Amino acid sequence: MEQTENGKAYFHLPGLFEFYEFYCVFLPLFQKHRDWFYDWCEIGSIYGAPADCLWGGGRAGFGEADPQDVLALVKEYDVSARLTFSNMLLRPEHLTDRKCNDLCRMFAEQSESNGVILYSDLLLNYLQKEYPAFYFVSSTTKVITDFDLFRKELQREEFRYVVPDFRLNHQMQQLNTLTREQKAKVEFLVNECCWFGCIDRKQCYETVSKKNLGLFCEEHICMAPGGSRGYRFSEAMKNPGFIGAEAIQNTYIPMGFSNFKIEGRGLGSALILEFLLYYMTRPEYQLSVREEIYLDSMLDLF
């Protein structure tokens, strides 16, 4: 199902392969107790990639779930699955990778509602030809911080959605100049914790791409203020690029924006739960959701 302007927010959730067991609990809970969650929000997709996936990008080394199990789960709950194939260093010889092609064949043949998040135009052209059932998402790993370049990316017909760099999130005057069709394609990254003034973001993604290709590279060490502490949702909320639940409901949806991406594939499911409580769950039912998850023993607190 294509998510368009209809007064609702469609959240794109992290951890398709990374948090399979968590979603085995959360998806039936979301379906059974729909009244516990805001009526203005829906699950737009769940994205991710298996660990050590050659075409993978953004995160490396996470995602152990069996693809057949993952596919069965998203089919059961009618959720779009997105393969995160945002490696930025792919060459023609990488396109024949058996594991990645097997994944594409499996997810493309089972449903036309599944997509691929990507960086490489080389990979885009290949997938369009070999797996035309997919829809495509332009990855935030492109680090598009110039609004004119972002507008050009939105004009590309190949992409159903485009995820801008989080530093464009609050350029309201510019965002308001987009057409209705362009607004429907924008997918904001809402909870980024990266330093707003970071100039090494693309280098960080490049390091992950090298790792997934098995290339030797020095570990990227984040030198941003507070970077050594890792992800903190409380710190992300103070980020100038942060988009909160209230802003989504009262500002972005009325402006015509519908799609919002939650990051967190490299985090634990305990923090993923906090994101879903904050963005999607009515306050009076947040404890109920926590208890259901806790009692099912699926929460990895350590």
Side-chain angles (χ1 to χ4, degrees):
M1 178 178 61
E2 184 173 354
Q3 288 86 45
T4 57
E5 177 186 358
N6 63 358
K8 287 195 174 186
Y10 293 88
F11 287 100
H12 303 275
L13 310 181
L16 180 63
F17 298 87
E18 297 85 348
F19 302 121
Y20 164 75
E21 292 183 343
F22 173 82
Y23 287 117
C24 282
V25 180
F26 182 79
L27 291 180
L29 185 66
F30 184 77
Q31 184 182 82
K32 180 181 179 180
H33 297 286
R34 188 61 183 84
D35 58 310
W36 291 5
F37 302 90
Y38 294 123
D39 57 7
W40 52 266
C41 74
E42 298 287 351
I43 297 173
S45 73
I46 306 176
Y47 66 92
D52 304 320
C53 199
L54 194 70
W55 297 351
R59 292 291 181 270
F62 301 93
E64 302 296 338
D66 183 271
Q68 292 282 6
D69 294 337
V70 170
L71 186 56
L73 180 66
V74 294
K75 284 183 64 179
E76 180 179 358
Y77 292 98
D78 193 26
V79 174
S80 173
R82 292 183 180 178
L83 300 173
T84 305
F85 287 158
S86 53
N87 195 301
M88 56 201 304
L89 301 174
L90 296 178
R91 299 188 300 272
E93 58 266 30
H94 297 138
L95 299 181
T96 58
D97 180 77
R98 181 175 179 179
K99 180 177 182 179
C100 293
N101 277 283
D102 285 347
L103 273 171
C104 285
R105 192 172 301 109
M106 184 187 309
F107 279 80
E109 288 179 353
Q110 292 295 322
S111 173
E112 292 188 357
S113 68
N114 295 332
V116 178
I117 305 170
L118 40 71
Y119 176 101
S120 167
D121 280 349
L122 175 70
L123 181 59
L124 171 63
N125 294 334
Y126 174 77
L127 294 178
Q128 283 182 308
K129 178 182 178 181
E130 298 294 329
Y131 309 102
F134 281 136
Y135 68 86
F136 300 102
V137 182
S138 176
S139 174
T140 190
T141 58
K142 294 180 181 180
V143 192
I144 300 176
T145 57
D146 180 273
F147 203 92
D148 289 335
L149 294 178
F150 174 54
R151 194 190 305 273
K152 289 180 180 178
E153 193 78 359
L154 288 171
Q155 292 169 348
R156 295 182 62 178
E157 295 182 358
E158 314 93 283
F159 296 121
R160 183 179 296 183
Y161 304 105
V162 177
V163 186
D165 188 87
F166 70 103
R167 285 162 286 201
L168 296 185
N169 285 358
H170 295 297
Q171 293 195 15
M172 296 306 188
Q173 187 173 356
Q174 293 272 49
L175 289 168
N176 244 336
T177 66
L178 299 176
T179 66
R180 177 178 177 178
E181 291 75 18
Q182 289 171 337
K183 288 180 179 181
K185 293 178 68 171
V186 178
E187 186 176 312
F188 293 103
L189 181 58
V190 296
N191 65 326
E192 179 58 62
C193 194
C194 185
W195 181 41
F196 197 79
C198 179
I199 60 173
D200 296 328
R201 190 167 174 81
K202 204 157 191 173
Q203 181 183 345
C204 179
Y205 288 134
E206 184 174 321
T207 298
V208 176
S209 293
K210 289 180 179 178
K211 286 183 177 181
N212 284 330
L213 291 175
L215 302 176
F216 173 79
C217 62
E218 298 289 340
E219 187 70 34
H220 177 76
I221 300 175
C222 180
M223 302 303 294
S228 61
R229 299 177 61 194
Y231 189 96
R232 301 288 180 95
F233 194 25
S234 58
E235 293 299 317
M237 288 180 171
K238 301 173 187 176
N239 192 302
F242 179 75
I243 300 178
E246 183 177 348
I248 290 173
Q249 183 182 18
N250 298 326
T251 301
Y252 288 84
I253 292 177
M255 287 176 67
F257 298 103
S258 303
N259 291 281
F260 304 90
K261 179 176 183 177
I262 297 175
E263 77 162 18
R265 286 197 296 143
L267 306 175
S269 61
L271 195 47
I272 302 303
L273 174 59
E274 291 304 313
F275 297 153
L276 303 187
L277 290 171
Y278 171 76
Y279 281 108
M280 301 179 69
T281 311
R282 298 177 186 274
E284 63 269 28
Y285 292 112
Q286 290 182 0
L287 180 58
S288 298
V289 173
R290 281 195 181 93
E291 288 175 337
E292 291 288 336
I293 301 293
Y294 293 164
L295 293 175
D296 208 278
S297 301
M298 299 309 302
L299 194 68
D300 52 336
L301 289 173
F302 300 99

